[in-house]
Structure formats: C-alpha cells, structure tokens
Amino acid sequence: MDQLPIFVNVRGRKVILVGEGDAADAKRRLIERAGGHCVDAGNADALLAFVAIEDEDEALASAADLKARGLLVNVVDRPDQCDFTTPAVVDRQPVLVAVGTGGASAGMAKAIRQRIETILPQNLGALANAVAHARDAIRSKWPLAADRRRALDQAFAAGGSLDPFQSHGPAAIETWLDQDDAAQPSRLVEIPLLSGNADDLTLLTARLLGEADYVFHDSNIPGAILNRARADAVRHEGAPPTPAPEGLVLYLRLPSASG
C-alpha cells in the first residue's frame, strides 16, 4: 500500500476549503455530507484542508502555507501534492465502502464504485446498525473474543445467516442469536498453494486468510499473499508448533520452483 486507508470523523468539526468553482463545490458537498463545517484558510483550529484552485502557482502556494501550519492537505487534481486523497464512496450508512486509486484515476474509482453499488443491498446499513445494537447480546452468547469473532465470521460468510450481500429482514439478528450453532472450534488447516500469484488463491483460501488467527508460512510465500490475511492475524515464518495455538491456524506451503 502507498496510502493508509482511514475514515476521519469530521462531524461538527472545521475543514478548510480554499477555492471556487465546480471542484470546490464538489469538495464542499463531500465535507458537509460528512457533517463537517467548511471554513476559510484563516481559521486556526481546522482539522484538514482542501485546495481547489485552478491556477498552478496559486494552488501550490496555498497548499504550502497550509502544510506549514501542520495541516494535512488535499490539492484537487494534483495527487503528487496531496497528503491524502478522497475516494469514491458507496454509502450504506453506517457502512461505507471507499475506493481509492491514490489519485491515479478518479474515473476508475468511480467505475469500481458503480459496480459495487449494484451488488450491495440498500438495507445493508440497517443490518449493520442491528448488529451494533445487539452487541451486548452477542457478548453474552460468546464471552470469549475469539469465539465471538469466529461466530461473526461464520454469520457474515457467503450464504451465512447475516451474509451482507443478501437482503435481511428486521428480525435477522434475533433469528441468528437464537440458533444453536456453535462457533467453529480451533483448528489447523494446511494449505498447499497453487502458485505465488495472489490471483490464483481459491475462494476458500481467500476466505480462510480473512478469518485466520495465526498464519504460519514457508519462507517463499510472497507478501502479496500474506497481505490477504487479517491485519491483526499473527504471522510466523515456519511450521506451526505442536500443539498449535488456539483459534484458526493456517500453514501456507508453496512448492519451490526446483521441487
């Protein structure tokens, strides 16, 4: 990754917007849609800054001044001058899917966003809110964090009780909580990879990487594959110990070119 993808809470906070015209209006709509308040460059307690000025020299001068004050600055249509970029957004409040290209192509980001829009149910946000409201009930049923995460992983999996790509009624959470299904027990899964190309991962392997608690791997496993694992999964080079740790443990193997 060349950028750190984060979501910034600007609701009720000030954001500097410098410039006029269509580009500035677009940024103003984005900021206000997120609950922020647009202010001019003279404001001393802003969180972020956007520069939407067509003239090159004027835009760079404004950006330099703002950066000198310690602000993170987005300079419209000049990605090499940006401290951060704004992605194309799929909004299913409170679920947000952001598609960024690091400023390489806003058109590509838009095309990807439009494709995602067609496959995400409109009531996905309602499902997310229902999960949030049921947090205490979920903790009560699965007191251990690892069991709770595995139960949610099962529910959110393709075809699961809470599959986010399917439409669900208002009673979906209660129905799921009433089920007697236990979370998947701790297990070790050895995975012989087809190749070192991340595009060759099977759907099952990709899903397991997204759920694993521990990822043990041969030294020749490329980073592009290891990066498919959960960000908080513990990674170790080499074979897993005996006995293996508690949770979902993967052992990724990749035959050497000579073997």
Side-chain angles (χ1 to χ4, degrees):
M1 292 191 302
D2 293 326
Q3 294 182 312
L4 176 66
I6 60 174
F7 291 93
V8 180
N9 184 5
V10 299
R11 183 166 299 279
R13 306 183 73 171
K14 297 175 181 178
V15 178
I16 290 174
L17 176 59
V18 181
E20 297 179 351
D22 292 343
D25 289 343
K27 295 303 184 185
R28 182 181 301 278
R29 287 192 296 270
L30 179 66
I31 295 165
E32 293 178 347
R33 182 177 170 187
H37 302 299
C38 294
V39 296
D40 61 32
N43 198 281
D45 58 351
L47 178 66
L48 301 168
F50 290 84
V51 175
I53 301 174
E54 186 172 345
D55 181 80
E56 178 83 8
D57 292 339
E58 188 179 349
L60 296 183
S62 179
D65 177 68
L66 292 164
K67 290 180 180 183
R69 290 161 51 184
L71 289 166
L72 295 177
V73 181
N74 173 279
V75 189
V76 176
D77 291 336
R78 297 174 177 87
D80 58 324
Q81 298 294 323
C82 290
D83 295 316
F84 67 95
T85 56
T86 53
V89 176
V90 180
D91 189 352
R92 298 288 189 273
Q93 184 66 23
V95 178
L96 294 177
V97 180
V99 181
T101 63
S105 174
M108 178 184 289
K110 181 180 70 173
I112 296 171
R113 174 188 65 78
Q114 290 172 336
R115 193 80 58 86
I116 295 173
E117 284 274 11
T118 66
I119 61 176
L120 286 181
Q122 288 295 322
N123 64 353
L124 179 60
L127 176 65
N129 283 324
V131 172
H133 293 152
R135 188 174 291 116
D136 290 343
I138 294 171
R139 286 180 178 275
S140 177
K141 183 166 184 175
W142 294 285
L144 296 179
D147 290 342
R148 190 161 58 246
R149 186 185 55 74
R150 284 194 289 271
L152 285 165
D153 283 346
Q154 289 174 230
F156 291 136
S161 301
L162 303 177
D163 182 349
F165 288 89
Q166 302 295 324
S167 185
H168 297 279
I173 298 296
E174 289 77 6
T175 300
W176 170 61
L177 287 170
D178 287 340
Q179 294 174 352
D180 293 329
D181 296 342
Q184 284 274 7
S186 296
R187 65 195 193 280
L188 168 63
V189 182
E190 184 171 337
I191 301 176
L193 297 173
L194 299 174
S195 76
N197 188 339
D199 289 337
D200 289 337
L201 293 175
T202 66
L203 291 176
L204 175 60
T205 298
R207 180 173 65 80
L208 290 173
L209 281 167
E211 298 175 1
D213 299 290
Y214 295 85
V215 178
F216 291 83
H217 59 90
D218 288 349
S219 61
N220 58 347
I221 303 295
I225 290 178
L226 296 176
N227 288 340
R228 295 291 185 93
R230 290 172 45 221
D232 55 348
V234 179
R235 295 161 172 78
H236 291 285
E237 184 176 312
T242 302
E246 291 289 320
L248 174 56
V249 182
L250 304 186
Y251 182 22
L252 304 182
R253 306 295 308 275
L254 180 62
S256 63
S258 60

